[in-house]
Amino acid sequence: MNSRLTRRRFIKGVIFFGAAASSGAGFYLASAASRPAGGVERLISLNVNGRTRRVDVTPQETLAHTLRYKLGLTGTKIGCNRGECGACTVTVDDVTHYACSMLTHSVKDRAVVTVEGLRAADGSLHPVQQAFIDELSPQCGFCTPGQIMSAVALLKTNPRPTREEARQALAGNLCRCGAYDHYLNGVMRASGQLS
Ligand code: FES
Ligand code: FES
């Protein structure tokens, strides 16, 4: 690896922006979304990361597609695109959801948060993001945004989970690199139970 591109710098990029290689699934959806939508209202308002966003949404469009290809929030990954891998995990009203398996029209009056929405106004990282950096949790980084969102939702309702509770909370987030223990270390650190 280039000495200027250290592993920690790579991980910071993943944590900040969810910058990792995307699957091809979204490109298929991108073309599907251009089909005519009939008489259903398409121009709707969404509450994403605390901002109101006006966006043109087809009736069958998934939230993952809207976030990535309409709003440019590419931190939300599309892996399996069928509710199996958790790469697309976001929170809706503080509850985790697979964005690939929700219709965008179903979240019109709800608060959607993606990995891009976790940073504080002063630019500082969410404690989960910082802990994942400190624990060098990601490997390739593809699953990282989803792991972060699941951990954030967990700590909101259970600030000091046991390792087993954390394992269960992140069970819906698959990691091809097998970095599960590193992510759990990050959750335990973020909850103040690891120094
Ligand atoms: S892309 Fe949504 S669960 Fe895999
Ligand atoms: S870090 Fe590579 S898939 Fe999880």
Side-chain angles (χ1 to χ4, degrees), residues 32-177:
S34 63
R35 287 195 291 262
V40 178
E41 181 194 9
R42 289 178 46 155
L43 191 58
I44 60 174
S45 294
L46 299 176
N47 178 347
V48 181
N49 296 334
R51 289 178 55 199
T52 300
R53 307 288 300 267
R54 292 285 283 171
V55 59
D56 183 359
V57 178
T58 61
Q60 303 85 6
E61 189 170 313
T62 67
L63 181 57
H65 177 87
T66 305
L67 292 172
R68 286 184 60 84
Y69 302 109
K70 302 283 181 69
L71 300 180
L73 297 170
T74 54
T76 301
K77 304 302 179 206
I78 297 177
C80 65
N81 205 23
R82 57 181 185 188
E84 291 179 353
C85 74
C88 62
T89 303
V90 298
T91 62
V92 179
D93 294 339
D94 291 331
V95 176
T96 54
H97 288 273
Y98 289 161
C100 73
S101 302
M102 295 190 89
L103 294 177
T104 306
H105 279 269
S106 74
V107 301
K108 266 191 291 190
D109 301 313
R110 303 165 74 186
V112 178
V113 177
T114 71
V115 71
E116 292 93 343
L118 296 180
R119 264 191 293 178
D122 66 1
S124 59
L125 293 174
H126 187 283
V128 168
Q129 294 176 303
Q130 188 58 58
F132 279 18
I133 291 173
D134 294 342
E135 289 298 323
L136 300 176
S137 301
Q139 292 294 309
C140 76
F142 189 85
C143 72
T144 304
Q147 306 275 7
I148 291 172
M149 297 312 297
S150 291
V152 167
L154 167 67
L155 296 182
K156 203 151 199 168
T157 56
N158 182 1
R160 290 181 71 82
T162 65
R163 197 172 180 90
E164 184 53 32
E165 287 170 336
R167 190 188 311 278
Q168 288 177 17
L170 273 59
N173 296 88
L174 303 186
C175 176
R176 291 174 295 187
C177 302

